[in-house]
Structures are given as structure tokens and as C-alpha cells.
């Protein structure tokens, strides 16, 4: 049956940024689809844990450094026995005019959004190969993987690079049965967009361009995430799927 291909029963997923927003929504969707979820967050994901119960295990780790990577994988395997899915969702954004943009703001964003993402992905891929049977990797990109934006040069650089390495890793790892794909959320009602949503003029301009006529929600991303994590997407490699209410098509 076709719906069986979307099941994640018996799978183990690592989802970064599990305490709020898109990450929390993806954790919920995976759990409902049958997966066990190791959620990685800098602060306790108490709400997510209460929501998902025994299917969720919280790993506290600061993703601004690669030093936490081995521990994340080791704790997941110790708790659930294996890893089948990785979602690189955690990210940070710094807003400052490019002409004044600081090295600190550049490094803090690139470290979390790109460097740690790459090396965590590499480590999980090695775990997949060790286990045999392949695996699924989903990188959370952005509309700024396609566009320049304003006042967010390091974020734009990181998300453009995420789309690029998604293709690169898919090219190299498909032979191991590893699918690497991305999701580019549109303008979502999350912590990262709070400043934009509170700016009446900017928010109106954004909404005027979205054919769906509203900001997205974490629930809008859940179907795409389950699809890319499941058997239903076994022949999808290196593609970044926009879930944007029609923004890019405008």
C-alpha cells in the first residue's frame, strides 16, 4: 500500500533545534509517523518531551562547536540502538547592515548553520555506512538559498551553501543508499522571523507577495519532512523542496 511507504515505524531520527518552531514540528511529525526521535537542543526541549513522551529523547548540546558531534551520535545509538534519519534544522541569524557586519556575527552564524551541519552530516553518514542499509538526511535551507535578502549576509551565505552541499553530498553518497535532500521553508511564524512580523510595513510587504496570503507554520513543513525521511522518497536525491506558500513562483 502506498501509505505504508510514508511510515517511519522502527526508524530513529536525530533532529537538531528540537525545542521550538520547525524542529519541534518535525519531531512531532516523525513521532506520529512511528519514529523514535533524538532531539538536539541547547536548552531542554521540555515542551517537546512532554508532547511526545517515550518516543523522544532530548540531547543537550551547543552546536556552535563541532566538539559535541560524536557525543550526539553516541547518545542516540545508546538510547535507541541506531540512526536512520538526520534533520539539520538548528540555525541562527544575525541582522546588521552588510557595510558594518562584524566578524563575530559572521563566524557565529557560519559555525552553527554550515560548519557544524557539514561535520554532523559527515559523522551520521559514517554511522549509516557502518550500519548498512542507507539513511535519510534532510537539510533545512531557506528562501535565502535562492535570494539575497537584506541585512543578513552571513545567513544568506550559510543557506546558499546548505543548498549547494545538499547536492554535493547527494552525488557522493547515493551509492551508499543515503538520500540527501533539503527543505526551503518560506516565511514562517517562528522565533527567527519575530522581528519581521513585528515590523508592520515589512510584514505587509511579505504577505503581499505570498500567494497563500499568510505566514507559514511548523505544521506546514511536516508532510515534506516525513516524505523526505521515508521510503516514499527513495529516488529523490539532491533536491531542495520549497515549502513557501508560492513565494518563489511569484
Amino acid at each position: 500500500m502506498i501509505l505504508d511507504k510514508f511510515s517511519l515505524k522502527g526508524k530513529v531520527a536525530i533532529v537538531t533545534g528540537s525545542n521550538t518552531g520547525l524542529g519541534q514540528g518535525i519531531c512531532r511529525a516523525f513521532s506520529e509517523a512511528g519514529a523514535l526521535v533524538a532531539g538536539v537542543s541547547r536548552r531542554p526541549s521540555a515542551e517537546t518531551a512532554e508532547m511526545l513522551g517515550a518516543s523522544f529523547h532530548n540531547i543537550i548540546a551547543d552546536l556552535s562547536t563541532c566538539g559535541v558531534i560524536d557525543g550526539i551520535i553516541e547518545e542516540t545509538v545508546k538510547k535507541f540502538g541506531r540512526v536512520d534519519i538526520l534533520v539539520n534544522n538548528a540555525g541562527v541569524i544575525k541582522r546588521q547592515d552588510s557595510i558594518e557586519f562584524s566578524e563575530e556575527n559572521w563566524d557565529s552564524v557560519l559555525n552553527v548553520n554550515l560548519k557544524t551541519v557539514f561535520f554532523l552530516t559527515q559523522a551520521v553518514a559514517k554511522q549509516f555506512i557502518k550500519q548498512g542499509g542507507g539513511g535519510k538526511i534532510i537539510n533545512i535551507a531557506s528562501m535565502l538559498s535562492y535570494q539575497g535578502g537584506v541585512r543578513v549576509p552571513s545567513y544568506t551565505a550559510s543557506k546558499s551553501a546548505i543548498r549547494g552541499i545538499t547536492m554535493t553530498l547527494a552525488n557522493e553518497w547515493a551509492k551508499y543508499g543515503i538520500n540527501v535532500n533539503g527543505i526551503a521553508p518560506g516565511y514562517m511564524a517562528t522565533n527567527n522571523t519575530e522581528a519581521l512580523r513585528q515590523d508592520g510595513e515589512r510584514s505587509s510587504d511579505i504577505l503581499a507577495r505570498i500567494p497563500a496570503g499568510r505566514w507559514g507554520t511548523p505544521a506546514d513543513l511536516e508532510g515534506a519532512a516525513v516524505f523526505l525521511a521515508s521510503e516514499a522518497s527513495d529516488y529523490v536525491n539532491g533536491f531542495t523542496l520549497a515549502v513557501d506558500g508560492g513565494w518563489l513562483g511569484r
Side-chain angles (χ1 to χ4, degrees):
M1 296 291 290
I2 184 61
L3 291 181
D4 293 339
K5 291 183 177 291
F6 291 85
S7 173
L8 300 181
K9 186 176 181 180
K11 302 296 185 181
V12 175
I14 296 173
V15 180
T16 66
S18 60
N19 55 324
T20 61
L22 303 183
Q24 184 180 78
I26 291 169
C27 289
R28 180 176 60 241
F30 283 2
S31 177
E32 290 177 0
L36 299 171
V37 182
V40 181
S41 54
R42 201 168 37 143
R43 295 179 295 275
S45 297
E47 186 177 76
T48 311
E50 183 178 357
M51 185 187 304
L52 303 185
S55 68
F56 180 79
H57 176 68
N58 192 196
I59 300 173
I60 305 299
D62 182 353
L63 295 171
S64 64
T65 172
C66 290
V68 300
I69 288 172
D70 289 345
I72 290 169
I73 297 171
E74 288 168 6
E75 187 169 341
T76 302
V77 172
K78 181 178 179 180
K79 177 67 177 179
F80 293 133
R82 60 184 293 113
V83 185
D84 302 287
I85 301 158
L86 169 66
V87 180
N88 287 305
N89 165 72
V92 296
I93 188 167
K94 299 290 184 181
R95 301 180 188 278
Q96 186 180 17
D97 288 344
S98 295
I99 198 70
E100 301 291 347
F101 207 81
S102 68
E103 185 176 359
E104 179 184 0
N105 281 348
W106 181 271
D107 288 345
S108 65
V109 171
L110 268 293
N111 282 343
V112 175
N113 293 12
L114 184 58
K115 182 178 180 179
T116 300
V117 167
F118 175 79
F119 286 105
L120 176 58
T121 302
Q122 180 191 70
V124 169
K126 289 178 180 179
Q127 179 67 26
F128 289 164
I129 293 167
K130 177 182 175 181
Q131 293 170 175
K136 303 281 185 169
I137 295 167
I138 303 170
N139 295 321
I140 302 302
S142 168
M143 290 296 94
L144 298 185
S145 301
Y146 298 89
Q147 299 174 318
V150 293
R151 305 190 74 244
V152 287
S154 59
Y155 188 82
T156 301
S158 70
K159 293 302 182 178
S160 296
I162 285 296
R163 182 170 170 237
I165 65 169
T166 294
M167 292 184 281
T168 296
L169 301 181
N171 290 341
E172 293 191 39
W173 296 347
K175 64 185 178 184
Y176 300 115
I178 298 172
N179 297 76
V180 187
N181 291 291
I183 299 174
Y187 283 89
M188 297 280 169
T190 65
N191 295 342
N192 272 357
T193 61
E194 185 174 358
L196 290 178
R197 287 182 286 114
Q198 289 180 349
D199 182 332
E201 182 177 353
R202 187 83 173 94
S203 181
S204 295
D205 287 346
I206 289 168
L207 287 172
R209 182 176 162 167
I210 301 173
R214 64 175 176 84
W215 290 79
T217 68
D220 291 315
L221 220 65
E222 292 177 9
V226 170
F227 167 63
L228 291 177
S230 72
E231 183 185 346
S233 63
D234 278 356
Y235 201 59
V236 181
N237 291 76
F239 188 72
T240 296
L241 172 64
V243 181
D244 64 350
W247 172 276
L248 289 178
R250 190 62 175 242

PDB file of all heavy atoms in Angstrom, residues 208-236:
ATOM      1  N   ALA A 208       2.033  40.386   1.046  1.00  0.00           N
ATOM      2  CA  ALA A 208       1.504  40.762  -0.267  1.00  0.00           C
ATOM      3  C   ALA A 208       2.100  39.923  -1.387  1.00  0.00           C
ATOM      4  O   ALA A 208       1.487  39.763  -2.452  1.00  0.00           O
ATOM      5  CB  ALA A 208       1.778  42.244  -0.530  1.00  0.00           C
ATOM      6  N   ARG A 209       3.303  39.367  -1.147  1.00  0.00           N
ATOM      7  CA  ARG A 209       3.945  38.577  -2.193  1.00  0.00           C
ATOM      8  C   ARG A 209       3.639  37.074  -2.081  1.00  0.00           C
ATOM      9  O   ARG A 209       3.889  36.324  -3.024  1.00  0.00           O
ATOM     10  CB  ARG A 209       5.465  38.788  -2.147  1.00  0.00           C
ATOM     11  CG  ARG A 209       6.156  38.004  -3.254  1.00  0.00           C
ATOM     12  CD  ARG A 209       7.634  38.221  -3.333  1.00  0.00           C
ATOM     13  NE  ARG A 209       8.235  37.128  -4.103  1.00  0.00           N
ATOM     14  CZ  ARG A 209       9.450  37.137  -4.566  1.00  0.00           C
ATOM     15  NH1 ARG A 209      10.227  38.174  -4.360  1.00  0.00           N
ATOM     16  NH2 ARG A 209       9.923  36.108  -5.244  1.00  0.00           N
ATOM     17  N   ILE A 210       3.137  36.636  -0.966  1.00  0.00           N
ATOM     18  CA  ILE A 210       2.873  35.205  -0.773  1.00  0.00           C
ATOM     19  C   ILE A 210       1.490  34.870  -1.323  1.00  0.00           C
ATOM     20  O   ILE A 210       0.471  35.322  -0.787  1.00  0.00           O
ATOM     21  CB  ILE A 210       2.943  34.826   0.725  1.00  0.00           C
ATOM     22  CG1 ILE A 210       4.309  35.162   1.315  1.00  0.00           C
ATOM     23  CG2 ILE A 210       2.652  33.332   0.910  1.00  0.00           C
ATOM     24  CD1 ILE A 210       4.396  34.976   2.826  1.00  0.00           C
ATOM     25  N   PRO A 211       1.405  34.064  -2.395  1.00  0.00           N
ATOM     26  CA  PRO A 211       0.101  33.734  -2.952  1.00  0.00           C
ATOM     27  C   PRO A 211      -0.857  33.115  -1.933  1.00  0.00           C
ATOM     28  O   PRO A 211      -2.070  33.348  -1.991  1.00  0.00           O
ATOM     29  CB  PRO A 211       0.432  32.749  -4.073  1.00  0.00           C
ATOM     30  CG  PRO A 211       1.797  33.167  -4.522  1.00  0.00           C
ATOM     31  CD  PRO A 211       2.499  33.573  -3.266  1.00  0.00           C
ATOM     32  N   ALA A 212      -0.326  32.342  -0.995  1.00  0.00           N
ATOM     33  CA  ALA A 212      -1.184  31.735   0.029  1.00  0.00           C
ATOM     34  C   ALA A 212      -1.750  32.768   0.999  1.00  0.00           C
ATOM     35  O   ALA A 212      -2.703  32.481   1.730  1.00  0.00           O
ATOM     36  CB  ALA A 212      -0.407  30.670   0.808  1.00  0.00           C
ATOM     37  N   GLY A 213      -1.148  33.966   1.045  1.00  0.00           N
ATOM     38  CA  GLY A 213      -1.697  35.059   1.825  1.00  0.00           C
ATOM     39  C   GLY A 213      -1.498  34.969   3.318  1.00  0.00           C
ATOM     40  O   GLY A 213      -2.170  35.664   4.086  1.00  0.00           O
ATOM     41  N   ARG A 214      -0.556  34.141   3.763  1.00  0.00           N
ATOM     42  CA  ARG A 214      -0.321  34.018   5.206  1.00  0.00           C
ATOM     43  C   ARG A 214       1.110  33.575   5.458  1.00  0.00           C
ATOM     44  O   ARG A 214       1.774  33.030   4.575  1.00  0.00           O
ATOM     45  CB  ARG A 214      -1.286  33.001   5.833  1.00  0.00           C
ATOM     46  CG  ARG A 214      -1.100  31.573   5.317  1.00  0.00           C
ATOM     47  CD  ARG A 214      -2.006  30.592   6.059  1.00  0.00           C
ATOM     48  NE  ARG A 214      -1.916  29.241   5.533  1.00  0.00           N
ATOM     49  CZ  ARG A 214      -0.982  28.346   5.877  1.00  0.00           C
ATOM     50  NH1 ARG A 214      -0.039  28.672   6.746  1.00  0.00           N
ATOM     51  NH2 ARG A 214      -0.990  27.134   5.362  1.00  0.00           N
ATOM     52  N   TRP A 215       1.575  33.793   6.689  1.00  0.00           N
ATOM     53  CA  TRP A 215       2.842  33.222   7.135  1.00  0.00           C
ATOM     54  C   TRP A 215       2.662  31.716   7.296  1.00  0.00           C
ATOM     55  O   TRP A 215       1.582  31.232   7.662  1.00  0.00           O
ATOM     56  CB  TRP A 215       3.261  33.829   8.474  1.00  0.00           C
ATOM     57  CG  TRP A 215       3.685  35.262   8.375  1.00  0.00           C
ATOM     58  CD1 TRP A 215       2.860  36.356   8.298  1.00  0.00           C
ATOM     59  CD2 TRP A 215       5.023  35.754   8.335  1.00  0.00           C
ATOM     60  NE1 TRP A 215       3.612  37.498   8.215  1.00  0.00           N
ATOM     61  CE2 TRP A 215       4.947  37.171   8.239  1.00  0.00           C
ATOM     62  CE3 TRP A 215       6.276  35.149   8.383  1.00  0.00           C
ATOM     63  CZ2 TRP A 215       6.068  37.979   8.174  1.00  0.00           C
ATOM     64  CZ3 TRP A 215       7.405  35.963   8.328  1.00  0.00           C
ATOM     65  CH2 TRP A 215       7.306  37.355   8.226  1.00  0.00           C
ATOM     66  N   GLY A 216       3.713  30.966   7.030  1.00  0.00           N
ATOM     67  CA  GLY A 216       3.664  29.529   7.239  1.00  0.00           C
ATOM     68  C   GLY A 216       3.761  29.168   8.711  1.00  0.00           C
ATOM     69  O   GLY A 216       4.098  30.006   9.550  1.00  0.00           O
ATOM     70  N   THR A 217       3.451  27.923   9.023  1.00  0.00           N
ATOM     71  CA  THR A 217       3.541  27.420  10.395  1.00  0.00           C
ATOM     72  C   THR A 217       4.377  26.144  10.383  1.00  0.00           C
ATOM     73  O   THR A 217       4.559  25.516   9.333  1.00  0.00           O
ATOM     74  CB  THR A 217       2.154  27.094  10.961  1.00  0.00           C
ATOM     75  OG1 THR A 217       1.621  25.955  10.257  1.00  0.00           O
ATOM     76  CG2 THR A 217       1.200  28.278  10.802  1.00  0.00           C
ATOM     77  N   PRO A 218       4.883  25.722  11.532  1.00  0.00           N
ATOM     78  CA  PRO A 218       5.621  24.453  11.587  1.00  0.00           C
ATOM     79  C   PRO A 218       4.841  23.285  11.002  1.00  0.00           C
ATOM     80  O   PRO A 218       5.428  22.409  10.359  1.00  0.00           O
ATOM     81  CB  PRO A 218       5.883  24.282  13.083  1.00  0.00           C
ATOM     82  CG  PRO A 218       5.998  25.686  13.600  1.00  0.00           C
ATOM     83  CD  PRO A 218       4.957  26.450  12.828  1.00  0.00           C
ATOM     84  N   ALA A 219       3.530  23.275  11.182  1.00  0.00           N
ATOM     85  CA  ALA A 219       2.713  22.178  10.651  1.00  0.00           C
ATOM     86  C   ALA A 219       2.795  22.094   9.128  1.00  0.00           C
ATOM     87  O   ALA A 219       2.664  21.008   8.550  1.00  0.00           O
ATOM     88  CB  ALA A 219       1.260  22.347  11.092  1.00  0.00           C
ATOM     89  N   ASP A 220       3.027  23.233   8.460  1.00  0.00           N
ATOM     90  CA  ASP A 220       3.110  23.236   7.003  1.00  0.00           C
ATOM     91  C   ASP A 220       4.324  22.475   6.487  1.00  0.00           C
ATOM     92  O   ASP A 220       4.355  22.059   5.328  1.00  0.00           O
ATOM     93  CB  ASP A 220       3.158  24.679   6.476  1.00  0.00           C
ATOM     94  CG  ASP A 220       1.851  25.412   6.662  1.00  0.00           C
ATOM     95  OD1 ASP A 220       0.794  24.829   6.365  1.00  0.00           O
ATOM     96  OD2 ASP A 220       1.886  26.574   7.114  1.00  0.00           O
ATOM     97  N   LEU A 221       5.322  22.292   7.341  1.00  0.00           N
ATOM     98  CA  LEU A 221       6.563  21.618   6.933  1.00  0.00           C
ATOM     99  C   LEU A 221       6.532  20.113   7.193  1.00  0.00           C
ATOM    100  O   LEU A 221       7.359  19.371   6.667  1.00  0.00           O
ATOM    101  CB  LEU A 221       7.740  22.229   7.703  1.00  0.00           C
ATOM    102  CG  LEU A 221       9.039  22.461   6.939  1.00  0.00           C
ATOM    103  CD1 LEU A 221       8.813  23.510   5.866  1.00  0.00           C
ATOM    104  CD2 LEU A 221      10.128  22.920   7.896  1.00  0.00           C
ATOM    105  N   GLU A 222       5.584  19.670   7.990  1.00  0.00           N
ATOM    106  CA  GLU A 222       5.624  18.301   8.487  1.00  0.00           C
ATOM    107  C   GLU A 222       5.489  17.254   7.386  1.00  0.00           C
ATOM    108  O   GLU A 222       6.193  16.237   7.386  1.00  0.00           O
ATOM    109  CB  GLU A 222       4.543  18.109   9.556  1.00  0.00           C
ATOM    110  CG  GLU A 222       4.832  18.908  10.819  1.00  0.00           C
ATOM    111  CD  GLU A 222       3.735  18.796  11.857  1.00  0.00           C
ATOM    112  OE1 GLU A 222       2.808  17.960  11.667  1.00  0.00           O
ATOM    113  OE2 GLU A 222       3.788  19.528  12.868  1.00  0.00           O
ATOM    114  N   GLY A 223       4.592  17.470   6.440  1.00  0.00           N
ATOM    115  CA  GLY A 223       4.402  16.497   5.365  1.00  0.00           C
ATOM    116  C   GLY A 223       5.645  16.333   4.508  1.00  0.00           C
ATOM    117  O   GLY A 223       6.027  15.211   4.158  1.00  0.00           O
ATOM    118  N   ALA A 224       6.289  17.461   4.178  1.00  0.00           N
ATOM    119  CA  ALA A 224       7.509  17.406   3.367  1.00  0.00           C
ATOM    120  C   ALA A 224       8.614  16.670   4.114  1.00  0.00           C
ATOM    121  O   ALA A 224       9.367  15.883   3.522  1.00  0.00           O
ATOM    122  CB  ALA A 224       7.964  18.822   3.014  1.00  0.00           C
ATOM    123  N   ALA A 225       8.710  16.907   5.424  1.00  0.00           N
ATOM    124  CA  ALA A 225       9.753  16.250   6.213  1.00  0.00           C
ATOM    125  C   ALA A 225       9.530  14.745   6.281  1.00  0.00           C
ATOM    126  O   ALA A 225      10.481  13.962   6.119  1.00  0.00           O
ATOM    127  CB  ALA A 225       9.785  16.847   7.618  1.00  0.00           C
ATOM    128  N   VAL A 226       8.306  14.319   6.520  1.00  0.00           N
ATOM    129  CA  VAL A 226       8.022  12.880   6.572  1.00  0.00           C
ATOM    130  C   VAL A 226       8.280  12.242   5.217  1.00  0.00           C
ATOM    131  O   VAL A 226       8.867  11.150   5.125  1.00  0.00           O
ATOM    132  CB  VAL A 226       6.576  12.635   7.042  1.00  0.00           C
ATOM    133  CG1 VAL A 226       6.186  11.168   6.858  1.00  0.00           C
ATOM    134  CG2 VAL A 226       6.416  13.040   8.506  1.00  0.00           C
ATOM    135  N   PHE A 227       7.880  12.900   4.143  1.00  0.00           N
ATOM    136  CA  PHE A 227       8.134  12.378   2.791  1.00  0.00           C
ATOM    137  C   PHE A 227       9.625  12.153   2.558  1.00  0.00           C
ATOM    138  O   PHE A 227      10.053  11.065   2.152  1.00  0.00           O
ATOM    139  CB  PHE A 227       7.577  13.344   1.754  1.00  0.00           C
ATOM    140  CG  PHE A 227       8.046  13.088   0.342  1.00  0.00           C
ATOM    141  CD1 PHE A 227       7.739  11.902  -0.317  1.00  0.00           C
ATOM    142  CD2 PHE A 227       8.806  14.035  -0.334  1.00  0.00           C
ATOM    143  CE1 PHE A 227       8.176  11.669  -1.610  1.00  0.00           C
ATOM    144  CE2 PHE A 227       9.244  13.810  -1.623  1.00  0.00           C
ATOM    145  CZ  PHE A 227       8.932  12.620  -2.267  1.00  0.00           C
ATOM    146  N   LEU A 228      10.451  13.162   2.857  1.00  0.00           N
ATOM    147  CA  LEU A 228      11.879  13.060   2.582  1.00  0.00           C
ATOM    148  C   LEU A 228      12.601  12.112   3.539  1.00  0.00           C
ATOM    149  O   LEU A 228      13.705  11.653   3.234  1.00  0.00           O
ATOM    150  CB  LEU A 228      12.535  14.440   2.619  1.00  0.00           C
ATOM    151  CG  LEU A 228      12.150  15.376   1.473  1.00  0.00           C
ATOM    152  CD1 LEU A 228      12.793  16.745   1.653  1.00  0.00           C
ATOM    153  CD2 LEU A 228      12.534  14.790   0.115  1.00  0.00           C
ATOM    154  N   ALA A 229      11.979  11.800   4.674  1.00  0.00           N
ATOM    155  CA  ALA A 229      12.571  10.864   5.631  1.00  0.00           C
ATOM    156  C   ALA A 229      12.142   9.426   5.375  1.00  0.00           C
ATOM    157  O   ALA A 229      12.697   8.498   5.973  1.00  0.00           O
ATOM    158  CB  ALA A 229      12.177  11.255   7.048  1.00  0.00           C
ATOM    159  N   SER A 230      11.193   9.232   4.495  1.00  0.00           N
ATOM    160  CA  SER A 230      10.554   7.928   4.338  1.00  0.00           C
ATOM    161  C   SER A 230      10.967   7.229   3.050  1.00  0.00           C
ATOM    162  O   SER A 230      11.616   7.799   2.161  1.00  0.00           O
ATOM    163  CB  SER A 230       9.035   8.099   4.345  1.00  0.00           C
ATOM    164  OG  SER A 230       8.591   8.700   3.131  1.00  0.00           O
ATOM    165  N   GLU A 231      10.520   5.987   2.934  1.00  0.00           N
ATOM    166  CA  GLU A 231      10.761   5.177   1.732  1.00  0.00           C
ATOM    167  C   GLU A 231      10.134   5.799   0.494  1.00  0.00           C
ATOM    168  O   GLU A 231      10.577   5.555  -0.632  1.00  0.00           O
ATOM    169  CB  GLU A 231      10.181   3.780   1.977  1.00  0.00           C
ATOM    170  CG  GLU A 231      10.388   2.777   0.864  1.00  0.00           C
ATOM    171  CD  GLU A 231       9.686   1.462   1.128  1.00  0.00           C
ATOM    172  OE1 GLU A 231       9.268   1.226   2.285  1.00  0.00           O
ATOM    173  OE2 GLU A 231       9.543   0.668   0.173  1.00  0.00           O
ATOM    174  N   ALA A 232       9.113   6.641   0.690  1.00  0.00           N
ATOM    175  CA  ALA A 232       8.422   7.262  -0.442  1.00  0.00           C
ATOM    176  C   ALA A 232       9.350   8.147  -1.275  1.00  0.00           C
ATOM    177  O   ALA A 232       9.064   8.414  -2.449  1.00  0.00           O
ATOM    178  CB  ALA A 232       7.229   8.076   0.055  1.00  0.00           C
ATOM    179  N   SER A 233      10.462   8.589  -0.695  1.00  0.00           N
ATOM    180  CA  SER A 233      11.389   9.486  -1.405  1.00  0.00           C
ATOM    181  C   SER A 233      12.695   8.798  -1.786  1.00  0.00           C
ATOM    182  O   SER A 233      13.699   9.469  -2.003  1.00  0.00           O
ATOM    183  CB  SER A 233      11.700  10.707  -0.536  1.00  0.00           C
ATOM    184  OG  SER A 233      12.361  10.319   0.660  1.00  0.00           O
ATOM    185  N   ASP A 234      12.688   7.487  -1.908  1.00  0.00           N
ATOM    186  CA  ASP A 234      13.940   6.758  -2.155  1.00  0.00           C
ATOM    187  C   ASP A 234      14.646   7.155  -3.456  1.00  0.00           C
ATOM    188  O   ASP A 234      15.849   6.944  -3.586  1.00  0.00           O
ATOM    189  CB  ASP A 234      13.678   5.247  -2.164  1.00  0.00           C
ATOM    190  CG  ASP A 234      13.638   4.648  -0.762  1.00  0.00           C
ATOM    191  OD1 ASP A 234      13.890   5.382   0.205  1.00  0.00           O
ATOM    192  OD2 ASP A 234      13.346   3.445  -0.644  1.00  0.00           O
ATOM    193  N   TYR A 235      13.928   7.717  -4.429  1.00  0.00           N
ATOM    194  CA  TYR A 235      14.559   8.112  -5.689  1.00  0.00           C
ATOM    195  C   TYR A 235      14.655   9.642  -5.811  1.00  0.00           C
ATOM    196  O   TYR A 235      14.780  10.186  -6.899  1.00  0.00           O
ATOM    197  CB  TYR A 235      13.791   7.510  -6.870  1.00  0.00           C
ATOM    198  CG  TYR A 235      14.596   7.418  -8.152  1.00  0.00           C
ATOM    199  CD1 TYR A 235      15.787   6.694  -8.207  1.00  0.00           C
ATOM    200  CD2 TYR A 235      14.159   8.056  -9.322  1.00  0.00           C
ATOM    201  CE1 TYR A 235      16.516   6.617  -9.382  1.00  0.00           C
ATOM    202  CE2 TYR A 235      14.888   7.971 -10.507  1.00  0.00           C
ATOM    203  CZ  TYR A 235      16.067   7.250 -10.522  1.00  0.00           C
ATOM    204  OH  TYR A 235      16.792   7.171 -11.699  1.00  0.00           O
ATOM    205  N   VAL A 236      14.616  10.310  -4.672  1.00  0.00           N
ATOM    206  CA  VAL A 236      14.786  11.768  -4.637  1.00  0.00           C
ATOM    207  C   VAL A 236      16.154  12.050  -4.040  1.00  0.00           C
ATOM    208  O   VAL A 236      16.429  11.692  -2.899  1.00  0.00           O
ATOM    209  CB  VAL A 236      13.684  12.448  -3.801  1.00  0.00           C
ATOM    210  CG1 VAL A 236      13.880  13.962  -3.800  1.00  0.00           C
ATOM    211  CG2 VAL A 236      12.304  12.087  -4.327  1.00  0.00           C
TER     212      VAL A 236
END
